[in-house]
């Protein structure tokens, strides 16, 4: 649990049961930490050609453009346990007030607030409580297994070496 002081009032931000039950928060955070943004921009079938660099660029662009919404959603979820606010709009108003009061604070940006909240999630055991940690570990294992199953990359496009010795 961490504390945000806004308008002279301390808000306890905690990612426990209430936050874990807030589907929009779990969904949006999972998409960021699992790499789903990149995967959704990758090829959809074997015949589609899209470069890895293009998929990464497009996915990262989508993620960065969603961070303002994700930060507000996560802030709302983090407030639910100890000092709930009416809705995400109220959480957004608090964040806006925070930015105006503390413009030099590293959390006074959407990305900065997202980082702060993600660290709070980690400390509070949010990823374990929701099961995200296990799902992401399983996804990583499956990806590694798929990578090792794919075997060697065909080398038939390379020129045969000829020895001059």
């Amino acid at each position: 649990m961490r504390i945000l002081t806004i308008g002279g009032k301390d808000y306890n931000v905690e990612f426990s049961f209430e936050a874990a039950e807030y589907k929009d928060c779990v969904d949006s955070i999972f998409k960021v930490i699992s790499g789903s943004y990149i995967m959704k921009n990758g090829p959809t079938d074997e015949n589609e050609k899209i470069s890895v660099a293009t998929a990464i660029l497009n996915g990262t662009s989508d993620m960065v453009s969603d961070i303002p919404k994700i930060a507000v959603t996560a802030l709302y979820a983090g407030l639910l346990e100890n000092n709930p606010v009416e809705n995400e709009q109220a959480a957004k108003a608090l964040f806006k007030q925070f930015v105006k009061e503390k413009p030099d604070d590293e959390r006074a940006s959407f990305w900065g607030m997202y980082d702060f909240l993600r660290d709070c999630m980690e400390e509070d055991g949010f990823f374990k409580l929701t099961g995200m940690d296990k799902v992401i570990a399983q996804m990583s294992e499956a990806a590694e297994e798929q990578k090792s199953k794919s075997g060697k990359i065909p080398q038939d496009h390379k020129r045969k070496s000829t020895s001059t010795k």
Side-chain angles (χ1 to χ4, degrees):
M1 177 173 56
R2 293 185 176 190
I3 295 173
L4 273 177
T5 303
I6 306 170
K9 180 179 177 189
D10 288 343
Y11 291 88
N12 296 321
V13 179
E14 182 178 358
F15 289 90
S16 190
F17 289 94
E18 296 298 324
E21 291 179 338
Y22 188 54
K23 184 183 186 310
D24 289 347
C25 178
V26 175
D27 180 59
S28 59
I29 296 299
F30 179 78
K31 286 177 183 173
V32 173
I33 66 172
S34 70
S36 294
Y37 277 97
I38 294 169
M39 296 304 295
K40 81 174 186 176
N41 288 293
T44 55
D45 63 41
E46 290 180 24
N47 297 325
E48 186 179 353
K49 301 217 183 226
I50 184 169
S51 74
V52 172
T54 300
I56 290 171
L57 184 63
N58 290 341
T60 302
S61 175
D62 286 348
M63 181 184 71
V64 169
S65 65
D66 285 348
I67 286 293
K69 172 74 172 119
I70 293 168
V72 169
T73 298
L75 178 59
Y76 173 71
L79 293 171
L80 288 172
E81 194 74 33
N82 298 299
N83 32 248
V85 294
E86 293 176 33
N87 52 35
E88 285 191 28
Q89 283 304 108
K92 181 179 176 181
L94 283 173
F95 176 64
K96 192 173 185 179
Q97 183 179 354
F98 178 81
V99 170
K100 287 179 180 181
E101 290 175 358
K102 300 176 179 150
D104 296 330
D105 190 300
E106 64 186 32
R107 300 167 295 179
S109 70
F110 287 109
W111 193 268
M113 184 57 70
Y114 166 76
D115 276 344
F116 167 78
L117 296 169
R118 188 194 62 231
D119 290 346
C120 188
M121 289 174 190
E122 182 91 32
E123 289 171 12
D124 291 344
F126 178 77
F127 301 120
K128 181 180 179 190
L129 181 61
T130 60
M132 258 190 253
D133 61 343
K134 289 188 189 273
V135 172
I136 290 171
Q138 290 170 348
M139 289 172 63
S140 294
E141 287 174 21
E144 286 299 318
E145 189 176 304
Q146 184 65 30
K147 189 176 174 182
S148 66
K149 279 184 181 179
S150 66
K152 294 181 180 177
I153 299 172
Q155 302 292 316
D156 58 349
H157 68 283
K158 289 187 176 179
R159 229 174 145 180
K160 291 184 178 173
S161 66
T162 53
S163 178
T164 57
K165 289 186 180 180

